[in-house]
Amino acid sequence: MACSTSPRSIAAVIGVGPRLGRSVARKIFRIDLGKLSALAEEIAREAKAQVFAIRIDCSDSKSVREAFEVVLSLGFLEVLVFNACEPPVSCPPTSFTAVTLQSFERSLSVSAVGAFHCAQHVIPGMVERRRGTIIFTGSSASLIGFAGYCELSCGKFALRGLSQCLAREFQSSGIHVTHVIIDGAIGSPSRSSIGEQDPTLVDPDALAQTYWHIHTQEKGAWTQEMDLRASIWTGL
């Protein structure tokens, strides 16, 4: 979890990996992040704000609560991006009979229950101030169940349902909730890759730009769901 603060508000990215999470955090925090441990120093020097890296287990309600107690003590959280996913989308398929109950439950706990906990911690403050953005990251598995990916698909289906419920309940309160379906594999950030980006891979920096656009959309035309893919589509 990466958290950036300014004199006005806070942005939190749950699930900061080397691709999408890194690019989204870099776009929101306006720096080249590198390692999470260097966030505070980087943001203080280059963006005149504060960034904190917090270890969080989205499957553990106590871990989520403790993390947000720290975050919300700093001020108003205006943007929440939820990228956490278990198992990772890049994992190979697993035969249904080989999936353990523990693994299946953990997938639901991270992808759906974790998102539920995070949203419950931030929505009251957003409702009070009548503004805020919540972006949930989904995938092709949010729409279609794939053979060998029952854990991923069930978690992502539940996440999509949560997003739709929250969008309809809290839009009138000024909260913009969006579910983003990433239909394809994500490549390396374009600014760190050599040569041209592989056109069959989704550019995480371009995704981050779209996430920023969602946050800055005019309220009269909010996006509640969006699907994104590479310039050469090899998905569904």
Side-chain angles (χ1 to χ4, degrees):
M1 177 180 184
C3 170
S4 173
T5 69
S6 73
R8 294 185 303 166
S9 59
I10 301 170
V13 180
I14 311 295
V16 182
R19 298 179 187 273
L20 176 59
R22 180 176 183 272
S23 289
V24 170
R26 183 172 61 200
K27 178 63 181 177
I28 292 176
F29 306 157
R30 292 178 174 82
I31 62 169
D32 190 346
L33 293 181
K35 294 182 179 180
L36 285 178
S37 60
L39 290 179
E41 180 181 350
E42 294 263 351
I43 199 74
R45 183 175 66 252
E46 298 184 25
K48 296 181 181 180
Q50 294 177 298
V51 172
F52 302 90
I54 303 173
R55 186 177 296 277
I56 181 173
D57 180 354
C58 290
S59 68
D60 183 345
S61 61
K62 181 174 181 289
S63 175
V64 175
R65 184 185 71 251
E66 291 176 347
F68 276 96
E69 284 176 353
V70 174
V71 172
L72 296 177
S73 70
L74 302 173
F76 166 52
L77 196 149
E78 185 171 349
V79 182
L80 172 67
V81 178
F82 189 87
N83 289 325
C85 180
E86 180 71 26
V89 177
S90 58
C91 282
T94 302
S95 170
F96 175 72
T97 56
V99 176
T100 66
L101 177 60
Q102 180 182 16
S103 177
F104 186 79
E105 288 180 337
R106 177 167 175 78
S107 178
L108 292 175
S109 294
V110 171
S111 295
V113 181
F116 167 84
H117 284 309
C118 292
Q120 280 212 324
H121 283 291
V122 305
I123 282 178
M126 292 180 174
V127 170
E128 181 181 350
R129 292 167 178 79
R130 299 196 64 79
R131 75 177 192 275
T133 301
I134 300 175
I135 301 176
F136 295 112
T137 300
S139 69
S140 306
S142 303
L143 305 177
I144 296 178
F146 295 95
Y149 292 96
C150 71
E151 299 163 283
L152 175 65
S153 290
C154 289
K156 289 298 188 182
F157 265 65
L159 179 65
R160 186 184 186 219
L162 175 66
S163 177
Q164 291 180 356
C165 291
L166 298 183
R168 286 164 173 77
E169 181 173 353
F170 291 105
Q171 178 165 329
S172 62
S173 299
I175 303 174
H176 186 185
V177 181
T178 300
H179 179 246
V180 177
I181 300 164
I182 300 177
D183 187 8
I186 301 175
S188 299
S190 57
R191 68 175 66 185
S192 64
S193 61
I194 300 175
E196 296 185 0
Q197 179 73 271
D198 184 341
T200 66
L201 298 177
V202 185
D203 182 351
D205 286 342
L207 289 175
Q209 180 63 43
T210 299
Y211 278 45
W212 183 254
H213 167 69
I214 290 171
H215 172 55
T216 57
Q217 279 182 323
E218 293 291 335
K219 186 176 181 179
W222 274 355
T223 297
Q224 290 191 357
E225 184 165 83
M226 176 182 293
D227 65 323
L228 304 171
R229 56 182 60 90
S231 56
I232 296 181
W233 185 32
T234 58
L236 301 176

